[in-house]
Amino acid sequence: MRVVMIHALAESIPPVRLAFQDEFPEAEVINLLDEGLLIDFPGSITPNLRRRMSDLICYCQDHDADAIGLACSVYAPVVDSASGLVDVPLVSSYGPVMQEAVEAGPRVGVIATNAATMSDSEYYLNIAALEAGKEVSVVQRLATDLIQVLREGGQPAFEKRLGEEVLALGPDVDVVLLSQFSFATALEHLQKVSPVPVLSAPHSSARMLKKMLEA
């Protein structure tokens, strides 16, 4: 089974590989990178960018994809309009993890490095809750230093710093959602130290695509 993941950042490729190794190792995962999707992004999805992402999605099916996933969160809205263009499973970066968070809630802790990602996460969480007929409450943890910690201290320091955020959320939530794909590299460590379940977007996507393809 061939799964094609579309990326706007090269940094999201290793977390996707890790997630599929953990959750869906039998899949043939192909990573399709177009860095221009982010370079040309003006802050909102223009008609040209929507068409460009839709073309990439169609390209994936035309080249034998059995399923397609987006790893670029800002393009999540394109899934709604592009799903009618292909006849294979198509998921956004947010869809699967938000569904799992809603099921594990209702108190969902969200960790992000910037306010825009936090806002998007809360928006899609509320959509997933509405579709599931449930309510969620979001507890935010904005950790603007995480990328700097990763660059200066490497993976061990990054895992420790993320662990601090997870532990701070623990008493007040039922589940912690890692809002950014790059956080998935710390998931194994976080699951060991966290008092509540921790969800990463690429792992949730891998689980959902496996379920969809095996159905």
Side-chain angles (χ1 to χ4, degrees), residues 165-209:
E165 295 296 332
V166 168
L167 289 172
L169 282 168
D172 301 315
V173 300
D174 303 299
V175 62
V176 172
L177 189 157
L178 305 176
S179 66
Q180 291 160 238
F181 264 53
S182 59
F183 293 176
T185 58
L187 183 63
E188 183 177 358
H189 168 74
L190 298 177
Q191 288 174 330
K192 292 177 181 176
V193 302
S194 175
V196 297
V198 181
L199 299 175
S200 94
H203 284 80
S204 296
S205 291
R207 281 191 293 270
M208 178 170 284
L209 287 168

Side-chain angles (χ1 to χ4, degrees), residues 100-177:
E100 290 189 353
V102 167
E103 289 299 318
R107 301 175 304 162
V108 181
V110 179
I111 303 174
T113 60
N114 60 78
T117 300
M118 186 70 74
S119 178
D120 284 348
S121 298
E122 188 163 359
Y123 173 77
Y124 285 107
L125 259 174
N126 286 325
I127 289 179
L130 184 64
E131 291 175 348
K134 298 185 176 184
E135 293 185 2
V136 293
S137 61
V138 178
V139 182
Q140 300 182 358
R141 292 290 298 188
L142 196 60
T144 58
D145 64 326
L146 278 168
I147 302 303
Q148 182 180 354
V149 169
L150 177 61
R151 289 172 178 168
E152 295 180 356
Q155 187 66 21
F158 179 64
E159 291 180 358
K160 180 182 178 182
R161 180 69 185 88
L162 256 178
E164 292 171 356
E165 295 296 332
V166 168
L167 289 172
L169 282 168
D172 301 315
V173 300
D174 303 299
V175 62
V176 172
L177 189 157

Side-chain angles (χ1 to χ4, degrees), residues 23-140:
E23 304 291 343
F24 195 5
E26 61 270 35
E28 176 191 23
V29 181
I30 295 176
N31 292 290
L32 180 62
L33 173 65
D34 180 356
E35 293 179 306
L37 289 169
L38 192 60
I39 294 171
D40 299 336
F41 185 75
S44 61
I45 301 175
T46 64
N48 181 59
L49 286 173
R50 183 178 292 273
R51 184 170 60 252
R52 185 161 150 189
M53 176 57 83
S54 299
D55 287 345
L56 285 173
I57 290 169
C58 292
Y59 172 88
C60 293
Q61 176 171 296
D62 293 343
H63 289 77
D64 302 321
D66 296 303
I68 304 163
L70 271 61
C72 30
S73 59
V74 296
Y75 285 92
V78 178
V79 168
D80 292 334
S81 57
S83 59
L85 302 176
V86 294
D87 54 12
V88 298
L90 171 66
V91 301
S92 74
S93 59
Y94 276 139
V97 75
M98 296 304 170
Q99 288 184 30
E100 290 189 353
V102 167
E103 289 299 318
R107 301 175 304 162
V108 181
V110 179
I111 303 174
T113 60
N114 60 78
T117 300
M118 186 70 74
S119 178
D120 284 348
S121 298
E122 188 163 359
Y123 173 77
Y124 285 107
L125 259 174
N126 286 325
I127 289 179
L130 184 64
E131 291 175 348
K134 298 185 176 184
E135 293 185 2
V136 293
S137 61
V138 178
V139 182
Q140 300 182 358

